[in-house]
């Protein structure tokens, strides 16, 4: 039986907290998109961890942690995280890597910086876009290539020659040595070499054997390369639609699909955000209370009200069987809570999210208001234990999206969770 967890907004919904909680019962946990642009926060035995590359199954001894074909891997980040987790947890994570997963090499990060994607899109500068671009251009280096390293120098050399053609004047590019990259790479990936495999076959076997599997999404539906707010998106497929392609299993029986959404909205980087609040009208208050600063880059996150129009779009892409509503506690002291029900676009009221930035940018939110509960939800452990107004808020979201709220999170720790109608994975 398989469960998948997806972000329903622009990332940072609390997927790390939710997947860590569910992974307790898992035998296999799979990352299927993105790379170290992800920053998943986990509170494990009272200690806080920021995880970028390894699936959260790593927290539990003996759980297989698979990086599927659709993931891009920064070998240096992977190794550093692996060593750190081994040290802090006292056991070695069982990492398995798809031979088809692409590697992020040092020139990818440099290119992203030189091309100005940080300023234009607000990317995380982790080399994500350039690595996926090399995949599409068929000059990428894949994990499976590490098992036959004889031609690596020649292949990386050919890519570097192309890059030097455009950027050779930059001293950081000029300094890169093919031999140096390959030597450092092979030393860094040493512990993982025996675990690079055709993971599609392994995952199909595990699914057939009825293993308890968890698919851990990164980013969120609105950052999807095709169906997100293009061009202000990441470079991978972030929804259920992309899962089969990434894991290489056409009919994976993913019976539970959990859509994670924050009780309000945040976004990092550029791009339209119809319900954004400026600092004076409450954005700063949400940011401070919700500690909305990036795990990967430390950047302040833009904050605003919940957007049901955008969430309905995410529902279409993921068809969740349940919602995990996180950070409800951050709204504890807000007198009047706003929720966007529709947009006004050039005088017309619309209830769907426009696919182009040209049409999304002028959209103005039409709000419905809810009375706040003005009391703490931090200790609530059942729906009945929530203040009446908080229950009404959760019900309104769940009804509008026509998906039951099966998990409600009221704090970063795993125990600060209300589980309602969710079957163990
Ligand atoms: P992810 O990328 O989706 O895993 O989310 P991040 O880890 O980037 O951001 C979510 C932040 O909210 C982290 O700091 C979590 O520890 C924290 N968090 C998650 N759920 C809750 C919650 O219900 N209440 C509070 N107060 N914090 C939460
Ligand atoms: P998690 O998994 C929030 C955003 C970046 C930028 C855009 C493109 O923690 O939810 P990229 O580096 O991917 O090319 O950047 O996508 N972004 C995220 N925002 N959470 C993330 O991951 C993100 N991963 C990428 O801020 O706007
Ligand atoms: Mg994050």
């Amino acid at each position: 039986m398989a469960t998948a967890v997806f972000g329903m907004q622009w990332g940072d919904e609390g997927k790390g907290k939710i997947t860590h909680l569910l992974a307790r019962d898992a035998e296999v946990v799979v990352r299927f998109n993105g790379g170290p642009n992800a920053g998943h926060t986990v509170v494990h035995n009272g200690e806080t961890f920021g995880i970028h590359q390894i699936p959260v199954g790593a927290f539990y001894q003996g759980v297989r942690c698979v990086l599927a074909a659709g993931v891009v891997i920064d070998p240096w980040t992977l190794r550093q995280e692996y060593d750190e987790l081994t040290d802090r947890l006292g056991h070695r994570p069982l990492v398995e890597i798809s031979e088809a997963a692409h590697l992020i090499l040092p020139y990818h990060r440099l290119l992203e910086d030189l091309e100005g994607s940080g300023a234009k899109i607000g990317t995380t500068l982790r080399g994500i876009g350039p690595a996926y671009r090399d995949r599409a251009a068929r000059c990428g280096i894949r994990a499976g290539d590490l098992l036959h390293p004889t031609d690596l120098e020649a292949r990386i050399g050919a890519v570097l020659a192309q890059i030097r053609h455009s950027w050779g004047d930059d001293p950081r590019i000029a300094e890169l040595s093919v031999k140096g990259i390959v030597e450092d790479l092979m030393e860094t990936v040493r512990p993982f070499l025996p675990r690079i495999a055709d993971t599609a076959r392994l995952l199909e076997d595990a699914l057939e054997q009825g293993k308890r599997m968890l698919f851990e999404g990164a980013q969120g539906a609105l950052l999807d390369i095709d169906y997100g707010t293009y061009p202000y998106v990441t470079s991978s497929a972030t929804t259920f639609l992309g899962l089969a392609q990434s894991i290489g299993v056409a009919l994976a029986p993913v019976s539970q699909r959990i859509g994670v959404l924050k009780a309000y909205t945040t976004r990092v980087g550029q791009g339209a955000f119809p319900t954004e609040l400026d600092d004076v009208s409450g954005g700063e208050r949400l940011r401070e209370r919700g500690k909305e600063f990036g795990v990967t880059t430390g950047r302040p996150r833009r904050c605003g009200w919940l957007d049901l129009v955008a969430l309905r779009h995410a529902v279409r892409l993921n068809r969740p069987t349940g919602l995990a509503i996180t950070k409800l506690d951050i709204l504890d002291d807000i007198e009047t809570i706003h929720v966007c029900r529709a947009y006004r676009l050039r005088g017309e009221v619309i209830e769907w999210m426009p696919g182009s930035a040209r049409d999304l940018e002028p959209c103005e939110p039409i709000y419905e208001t809810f009375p706040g509960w003005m009391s703490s939800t931090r200790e609530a452990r059942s729906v009945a234990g929530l203040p009446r107004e908080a229950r009404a808020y959760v019900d309104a979201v769940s009804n509008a999206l026509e998906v039951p709220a099966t998990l409600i999170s009221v704090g970063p720790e795993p125990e600060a969770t209300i589980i309602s109608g969710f079957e163990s994975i």
Side-chain angles (χ1 to χ4, degrees):
M1 169 144 144
T3 297
V5 172
F6 304 97
M8 297 280 284
Q9 295 156 318
W10 279 289
D12 302 329
E13 298 90 349
K15 299 175 294 293
K17 158 163 176 169
I18 299 296
T19 40
H20 170 257
L21 181 74
L22 304 185
R24 270 202 302 228
D25 301 321
E27 293 168 279
V28 186
V29 181
V30 186
R31 269 278 304 267
F32 58 88
N33 75 293
N37 47 350
H40 296 175
T41 312
V42 163
V43 180
H44 183 76
N45 296 338
E47 261 191 80
T48 300
F49 295 74
I51 303 295
H52 303 278
Q53 187 79 75
I54 299 183
V56 298
F59 287 89
Y60 308 99
Q61 197 159 7
V63 173
R64 292 165 59 189
C65 297
V66 180
L67 295 168
V71 172
V72 282
I73 300 171
D74 181 325
W76 290 270
T77 305
L78 175 68
R79 177 64 188 271
Q80 192 248 325
E81 207 162 275
Y82 177 80
D83 288 345
E84 187 195 328
L85 287 174
T86 303
D87 193 41
R88 286 177 74 184
L89 297 171
H91 66 257
R92 277 186 200 288
L94 293 182
V95 178
E96 293 172 34
I97 300 176
S98 164
E99 60 194 3
H102 281 250
L103 302 183
I104 303 177
L105 295 174
Y107 44 82
H108 291 128
R109 282 190 186 211
L110 284 176
L111 278 176
E112 189 171 349
D113 188 29
L114 289 165
E115 290 165 0
S117 310
K120 278 185 262 181
I121 309 281
T123 61
T124 58
L125 297 176
R126 293 299 184 272
I128 304 295
Y132 278 115
R133 182 170 66 199
D134 279 1
R135 175 175 86 154
R138 293 153 295 176
C139 61
I141 306 296
R142 310 202 297 177
D145 297 328
L146 299 168
L147 302 176
H148 311 283
T150 41
D151 66 347
L152 265 187
E153 278 192 29
R155 289 179 53 202
I156 292 178
V159 176
L160 210 49
Q162 282 289 331
I163 296 171
R164 289 219 169 96
H165 193 68
S166 308
W167 299 102
D169 293 345
D170 184 86
R172 292 170 298 171
I173 295 287
E175 271 168 25
L176 286 176
S177 121
V178 177
K179 212 173 162 47
I181 293 175
V182 173
E183 275 175 15
D184 193 12
L185 175 65
M186 292 312 295
E187 173 54 28
T188 303
V189 299
R190 209 160 25 91
F192 309 113
L193 291 178
R195 318 288 297 212
I196 297 173
D198 174 0
T199 53
R201 205 166 42 73
L202 300 180
L203 290 173
E204 190 159 57
D205 288 349
L207 283 158
E208 260 170 32
Q209 289 158 14
K211 295 253 187 271
R212 293 187 302 278
M213 320 229 347
L214 179 63
F215 295 98
E216 173 186 356
Q219 289 82 49
L222 308 178
L223 289 171
D224 183 81
I225 178 75
D226 294 315
Y227 302 108
T229 49
Y230 193 88
Y232 303 103
V233 293
T234 189
S235 301
S236 67
T238 61
T239 75
F240 186 51
L241 296 172
L243 180 74
Q245 171 75 18
S246 169
I247 65 172
V249 183
L251 292 175
V254 186
S255 53
Q256 295 197 96
R257 297 178 296 280
I258 305 299
V260 187
L261 59 114
K262 237 177 246 192
Y264 49 99
T265 312
T266 61
R267 174 163 207 179
V268 204
Q270 272 48 284
F273 178 177
T275 62
E276 182 171 14
L277 291 169
D278 61 25
D279 284 353
V280 182
S281 43
E284 185 162 20
R285 191 170 164 204
L286 281 174
R287 186 176 314 115
E288 292 304 320
R289 237 192 102 80
K291 300 198 181 69
E292 296 295 355
F293 297 90
V295 182
T296 302
T297 58
R299 287 179 291 174
R301 295 174 181 154
R302 300 156 66 192
C303 297
W305 298 120
L306 197 72
D307 184 342
L308 291 175
V309 181
L311 283 168
R312 273 196 294 267
H313 181 67
V315 166
R316 273 203 301 277
L317 301 173
N318 287 316
R319 283 291 158 216
T321 54
L323 301 175
I325 302 182
T326 62
K327 302 191 102 163
L328 190 66
D329 54 304
I330 302 306
L331 302 182
D332 281 353
D333 68 350
I334 296 187
E335 271 173 30
T336 305
I337 300 167
H338 292 56
V339 171
C340 172
R341 283 243 176 232
Y343 296 154
R344 194 179 311 281
L345 172 60
R346 303 185 186 103
E348 190 194 340
V349 174
I350 57 170
E351 292 194 344
W352 41 268
M353 195 175 192
S356 77
R358 197 178 40 253
D359 285 338
L360 185 60
E361 260 147 30
C363 282
E364 291 165 29
I366 300 175
Y367 286 120
E368 179 179 349
T369 58
F370 290 83
W373 39 97
M374 303 303 285
S375 59
S376 175
T377 54
R378 288 285 273 122
E379 305 305 322
R381 296 295 178 264
S382 66
V383 174
L386 285 172
R388 186 168 44 84
E389 296 83 355
R391 280 202 308 268
Y393 184 70
V394 168
D395 283 347
V397 174
S398 161
N399 290 338
L401 300 179
E402 299 179 49
V403 186
T406 45
L407 296 153
I408 301 166
S409 173
V410 290
E413 315 79 18
E415 49 288 2
T417 314
I418 298 169
I419 300 178
S420 150
F422 177 78
E423 290 168 37
S424 161
I425 64 168

